[in-house]
Amino acid sequence: GRIINISSIAGPVVGFPGLTHYCASKAALVGFTKALALEVAKFNITVNAVAPGPIETPGTTKGVDRAQLEAVVRAIPVGRIGRPSDVASVVLFLASEEASFITGQLIVVDGGYTVQ
């Protein structure tokens, strides 16, 4: 079995002012992921979380002016905003047999945005 939670870079990786409630909930999801991974490993169930960074969706680009979006893209080392398929590919991998030895992990999908 596989359990894959969708978290965010906001909270478990970095904080964002004005998003305290969101950051808290996404960080809590990572704690849940780690604890549950330990509880269900004996049943051959893996539990992981994916933490997307800036991803191009209507919810993240609606109402954002062009200058703000361009500033975000400049901060991403790979030079583009993420696509939903970037996240989906990681989820598909974690759901596969190839990821059977990965559990309790947070996989960041952000194009290097949070790399220091």
Side-chain angles (χ1 to χ4, degrees):
R2 305 283 185 266
I3 298 171
I4 303 159
N5 296 312
I6 305 299
S7 182
S8 173
I9 60 166
V13 183
V14 295
F16 289 98
L19 292 176
T20 302
H21 60 293
Y22 183 82
C23 291
S25 68
K26 294 302 185 173
L29 186 57
V30 175
F32 171 80
T33 297
K34 291 176 179 290
L36 186 60
L38 295 174
E39 288 184 29
V40 301
K42 62 187 169 197
F43 302 111
N44 198 30
I45 298 170
T46 64
V47 186
N48 292 291
V50 177
I55 303 295
E56 187 173 5
T57 67
T60 58
T61 57
K62 184 178 180 181
V64 176
D65 72 24
R66 189 121 184 103
Q68 287 175 313
L69 191 56
E70 288 171 359
V72 169
V73 170
R74 280 193 302 276
I76 301 171
V78 300
R80 67 173 175 83
I81 196 163
R83 296 181 290 261
S85 61
D86 295 319
V87 177
S89 295
V90 173
V91 171
L92 183 62
F93 168 70
L94 289 172
S96 74
E97 187 58 31
E98 285 78 17
S100 66
F101 200 60
I102 300 170
T103 196
Q105 301 304 305
L106 175 67
I107 310 296
V108 175
V109 182
D110 71 355
Y113 183 71
T114 59
V115 175
Q116 298 295 324

